[in-house]
């Protein structure tokens, strides 16, 4: 399935522009409004038809999902043009993004368990491992010593609960793609000192790019309907968490904040200094939303950045930026930070805003081509975009170590290597590495799938002194290989390179054909 993301919710009305030329501006807008209303009515009828196919035990849940989709679709039709006015974007005020060192300098409270008992950890667990060639939830891919993302998360929270004699629960936001497989695996954690809860994000219908009507004809998402539905991005967390009943449950238990992060970000561990800052605000004003940001490098120029917009902190994504200003947005000197998607959010504020229907997130229009060739769009939202709806929001500029996402096998090679040591589910940079930056690793298409990647390494190389690694083509690595400085290995088409066991490559370019044959 091909995918590409944009954030330009312009209504494409067939031939409306041709007709409108012959009308006054006012007449054209009235015409557009009539078309819009007719389209909303058509979509409403289609959704009602779909709802009639829901089994009785799924009816209420399906109705909530389809109502949520209808609200999103209504907003999609109302919005015109890019969602930000570039002229209004300003750098955030100095005090609105605090350096982590300043937060840390406040120290910890005498009773750490008292602040931990106010916390709930939420991991975004809706994604599949397809981009890495794996079936099922991405969180079940082995990343270190056969531990999966989920194993490491459970180990981290269990360690907190045991160390401080607390009861921090773990909540997984699953999607309909990951829920069943995740629940099967959760049984293995029954004896861990972590209470684990799950809830599902919504299931919305994809819409035909031409007609803007739902592709689905019934609620089933198997067989020919497999591609008709999608989870609408992690911005759905607010409504789904509220609808699940868990929000009220945790508020009733005296919990005050959720720490939300992507399950594939291995740097997103519970930070006691940030939690203390939230629970004991220095100015006495409670902060409802904290976004962890970190300094951009050249590799992060596309990451969303925090700006000041109409008097509030606002997350601006590259897809919202008018084309003429994209280079300016990518500038590391003007926009120095980007969003890690590690977020600390007040439960009471989520409840208040959800009940007021006041959480405002830009709509991401994500075009896709289904396997049969049909062009569809799916409407999504992003969790961090809601920052502007909360009071007294804050950015905290955290060390890069809190952003360690594993999106590709190149990332996987880094976290499996001796660059990191593993302790109680948390990865920390090895003290033996002389400088704290992570090497730049680019593995070619022969390594994309986890299975192929593992087959090509007899053991993970020593990378403590590596700066840059590029590998392209049919390349394998023997045991105990050491890589230092800049190493580039390129096997041309039809050639194969076997790096022999024990080889030390330092500032080397290897190309052509190199095979070590047993005899």
């Amino acid at each position: 399935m091909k995918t590409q993301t944009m954030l330009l919710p312009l209504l494409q009305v067939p031939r409306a522009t041709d007709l409108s030329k012959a009308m006054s501006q006012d007449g054209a807008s009235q015409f557009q409004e009539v078309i819009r209303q007719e389209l909303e009515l058509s979509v409403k009828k289609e959704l009602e038809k779909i709802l009639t196919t829901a089994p009785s035990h799924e009816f209420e849940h399906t109705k909530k999902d389809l109502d949520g989709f209808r609200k999103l679709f209504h907003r999609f039709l109302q919005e015109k043009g890019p969602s930000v006015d570039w002229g209004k974007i300003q750098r955030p005020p100095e005090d609105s993004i605090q350096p982590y060192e300043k937060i840390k300098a406040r120290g910890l409270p005498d009773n750490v368990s008292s602040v931990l008992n106010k916390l709930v950890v939420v991991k975004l667990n809706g994604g599949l491992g397809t981009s890495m060639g794996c079936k099922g939830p991405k969180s079940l891919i082995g990343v270190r010593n056969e531990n999966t993302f989920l194993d490491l998360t459970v180990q981290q929270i269990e360690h907190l609960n045991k160390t401080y004699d607390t009861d921090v629960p773990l909540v997984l936001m699953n999607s309909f793609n990951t829920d069943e497989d995740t629940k099967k695996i959760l049984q293995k954690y029954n004896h861990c000192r972590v209470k684990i809860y799950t809830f599902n994000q919504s299931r919305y219908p994809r819409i035909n790019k031409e007609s803007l009507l739902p592709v689905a004809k019934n609620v089933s998402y198997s067989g020919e309907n497999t591609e008709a539905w999608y989870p609408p991005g992690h911005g759905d967390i607010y409504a789904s968490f509220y609808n699940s009943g868990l929000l009220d449950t945790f508020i009733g238990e005296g919990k005050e904040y959720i720490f939300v992060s992507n399950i594939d970000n291995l740097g997103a561990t519970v930070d006691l200094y940030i939690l203390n800052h939230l629970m004991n605000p220095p100015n006495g004003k409670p902060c409802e939303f904290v976004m962890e940001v970190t300094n951009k490098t050249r590799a992060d120029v596309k990451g969303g950045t925090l700006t000041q917009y109409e008097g509030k902190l606002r997350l601006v994504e590259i897809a919202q930026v008018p084309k003429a200003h994209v280079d300016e947005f990518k500038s590391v000197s003007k926009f120095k930070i980007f969003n890690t998607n590690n977020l600390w959010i007040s439960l009471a504020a989520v409840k208040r805003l959800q009940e007021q229907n006041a959480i405002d997130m830009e709509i991401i229009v994500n075009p896709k081509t289904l396997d049969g060739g049909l062009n569809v769009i799916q409407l999504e939202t992003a969790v961090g975009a809601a920052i502007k709806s909360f009071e007294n929001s804050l950015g905290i500029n955290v060390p890069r170590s809190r952003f360690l996402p594993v999106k590709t096998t190149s990332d996987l090679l880094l976290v499996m290597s001796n660059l990191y040591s593993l302790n109680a589910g948390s990865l920390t940079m090895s003290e033996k590495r002389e400088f704290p930056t992570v090497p730049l690793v680019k593995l070619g298409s022969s390594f994309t799938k986890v299975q192929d990647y593992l087959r090509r390494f007899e053991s993970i190389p020593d990378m403590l002194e590596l700066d840059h690694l590029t590998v392209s083509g049919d390349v394998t690595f023997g045991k105990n290989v050491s890589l230092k400085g800049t190493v580039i290995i390129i096997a041309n088409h039809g050639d194969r390179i076997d790096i022999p066991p024990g080889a030390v490559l330092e500032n080397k370019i290897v190309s052509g054909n190199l095979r070590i044959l047993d005899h």
Side-chain angles (χ1 to χ4, degrees):
M1 184 187 292
K2 297 172 191 162
T3 177
Q4 163 201 6
T5 304
M6 61 180 180
L7 243 143
L8 203 66
L10 284 168
L11 175 59
Q12 300 295 326
V13 180
R15 308 199 199 291
T17 48
D18 302 337
L19 285 164
S20 65
K21 280 177 190 170
M23 302 177 181
S24 67
Q25 195 63 41
D26 190 41
S29 60
Q30 283 178 352
F31 178 78
Q32 290 262 356
E33 186 54 37
V34 169
I35 293 283
R36 226 191 314 269
Q37 286 173 3
E38 285 183 2
L39 189 51
E40 278 206 67
L41 194 61
S42 300
V43 166
K44 183 171 182 266
K45 284 178 181 171
E46 288 294 316
L47 296 177
E48 283 169 355
K49 277 188 210 165
I50 292 170
L51 187 58
T52 61
T53 68
S56 56
H57 65 282
E58 282 181 22
F59 185 86
E60 278 308 313
H61 192 77
T62 305
K63 186 174 186 304
K64 275 183 184 172
D65 281 355
L66 296 181
D67 284 348
F69 172 76
R70 202 150 64 85
K71 283 181 192 167
L72 192 62
F73 186 75
H74 172 76
R75 277 184 49 217
F76 163 67
L77 294 185
Q78 296 298 324
E79 292 179 11
K80 300 179 184 74
S83 49
V84 292
D85 177 347
W86 191 255
K88 291 183 180 178
I89 287 179
Q90 299 172 309
R91 281 190 186 173
E94 288 287 306
D95 60 347
S96 66
I97 299 181
Q98 299 273 350
Y100 177 76
E101 292 69 31
K102 187 176 175 183
I103 306 292
K104 192 174 181 179
R106 295 187 63 212
L108 293 175
D110 295 334
N111 187 355
V112 171
S113 61
S114 65
V115 293
L116 273 172
N117 277 327
K118 304 287 187 185
L119 182 69
V120 176
V121 174
V122 180
K123 292 287 182 182
L124 304 172
N125 185 47
L128 294 168
T130 42
S131 64
M132 294 172 75
C134 297
K135 287 183 178 174
K138 186 176 182 182
S139 57
L140 306 185
I141 294 175
V143 285
R144 180 82 188 212
N145 304 351
E146 296 186 11
N147 287 300
T148 65
F149 291 104
L150 189 53
D151 291 337
L152 295 177
T153 301
V154 172
Q155 287 167 28
Q156 287 165 21
I157 299 174
E158 182 176 47
H159 177 67
L160 273 180
N161 285 338
K162 284 180 172 176
T163 305
Y164 297 103
D165 191 24
T166 54
D167 183 22
V168 177
L170 169 63
V171 180
L172 301 173
M173 180 168 89
N174 299 337
S175 68
F176 65 91
N177 289 320
T178 62
D179 189 51
E180 196 179 327
D181 288 339
T182 301
K183 280 180 175 165
K184 281 179 193 164
I185 219 86
L186 289 182
Q187 295 168 14
K188 78 175 188 178
Y189 306 117
N190 284 347
H191 302 296
C192 294
R193 189 171 164 175
V194 184
K195 284 183 190 160
I196 304 178
Y197 302 82
T198 66
F199 70 97
N200 266 13
Q201 66 187 113
S202 305
R203 181 164 72 98
Y204 284 0
R206 286 182 168 136
I207 51 181
N208 185 307
K209 194 175 180 182
E210 301 306 320
S211 68
L212 296 184
L213 294 175
V215 175
K217 297 301 171 202
N218 57 57
V219 295
S220 158
Y221 49 95
S222 55
E224 61 181 23
N225 243 11
T226 309
E227 291 189 301
W229 300 90
Y230 72 99
H234 41 56
D236 185 57
I237 186 172
Y238 303 105
S240 294
F241 192 42
Y242 179 87
N243 290 338
S244 72
L246 284 174
L247 178 67
D248 282 334
T249 299
F250 290 130
I251 288 174
E253 290 176 4
K255 306 292 187 190
E256 293 184 25
Y257 281 91
I258 48 174
F259 171 49
V260 181
S261 62
N262 299 343
I263 200 158
D264 64 5
N265 179 7
L266 294 177
T269 56
V270 171
D271 187 281
L272 298 174
Y273 297 102
I274 295 177
L275 180 61
N276 181 45
H277 184 84
L278 287 168
M279 297 308 304
N280 301 295
N283 58 5
K285 273 175 70 181
C287 177
E288 293 187 346
F289 195 112
V290 162
M291 176 179 287
E292 292 184 38
V293 296
T294 195
N295 291 342
K296 267 187 187 180
T297 66
R298 300 255 170 240
D300 313 306
V301 290
K302 292 184 179 178
T305 194
L306 267 187
T307 63
Q308 178 88 344
Y309 192 89
E310 296 181 337
K312 286 217 155 188
L313 275 184
R314 176 154 172 170
L315 179 66
V316 176
E317 302 281 1
I318 191 165
Q320 290 167 271
V321 177
K323 277 186 180 170
H325 297 282
V326 165
D327 286 342
E328 195 181 338
F329 176 84
K330 288 180 176 179
S331 156
V332 177
S333 56
K334 179 158 186 183
F335 297 106
K336 296 185 164 114
I337 49 152
F338 72 98
N339 169 30
T340 63
N341 221 36
N342 301 347
L343 309 168
W344 304 74
I345 310 170
S346 156
L347 287 169
V350 173
K351 182 176 170 68
R352 180 189 79 239
L353 291 169
Q354 193 57 36
E355 289 177 350
Q356 292 171 354
N357 197 22
I359 295 182
D360 179 19
M361 294 171 283
E362 290 75 33
I363 295 173
I364 301 165
V365 181
N366 196 346
K368 289 184 178 276
T369 302
L370 303 187
D371 289 343
L374 181 68
N375 290 326
V376 297
I377 54 177
Q378 52 191 52
L379 306 178
E380 303 175 5
T381 54
V383 58
I387 187 169
K388 63 179 180 289
S389 302
F390 290 81
E391 293 302 318
N392 205 24
S393 297
L394 180 70
I396 297 180
N397 191 343
V398 296
R400 182 75 183 202
S401 58
R402 291 193 56 74
F403 184 67
L404 189 57
V406 179
K407 303 290 184 191
T408 64
T409 49
S410 300
D411 300 329
L412 193 56
L413 180 61
L414 289 168
V415 299
M416 291 178 96
S417 76
N418 60 346
L419 285 165
Y420 292 95
S421 53
L422 179 65
N423 181 27
S426 298
L427 289 180
T428 47
M429 180 74 77
S430 169
E431 290 175 3
K432 292 177 185 170
R433 177 137 174 110
E434 288 183 10
F435 27 92
T437 54
V438 177
L440 189 62
V441 173
K442 294 178 182 173
L443 299 178
S445 56
S446 305
F447 292 79
T448 302
K449 295 181 176 178
V450 173
Q451 207 173 340
D452 295 338
Y453 153 86
L454 292 171
R455 193 170 46 80
R456 290 180 176 277
F457 288 99
E458 274 194 63
S459 69
I460 302 298
D462 172 353
M463 292 164 53
L464 280 175
E465 295 176 46
L466 180 69
D467 297 324
H468 179 130
L469 173 67
T470 295
V471 184
S472 177
D474 187 0
V475 179
T476 64
F477 292 79
K479 280 190 174 175
N480 304 322
V481 170
S482 184
L483 305 172
K484 303 179 181 189
T486 296
V487 178
I488 298 170
I489 305 168
I490 298 173
N492 297 324
H493 185 67
D495 289 344
R496 175 168 154 183
I497 295 177
D498 294 329
I499 303 299
V504 177
L505 300 181
E506 182 169 4
N507 296 323
K508 287 280 187 290
I509 296 176
V510 182
S511 64
N513 193 21
L514 173 67
R515 298 197 69 174
I516 309 296
L517 302 174
D518 291 332
H519 63 277

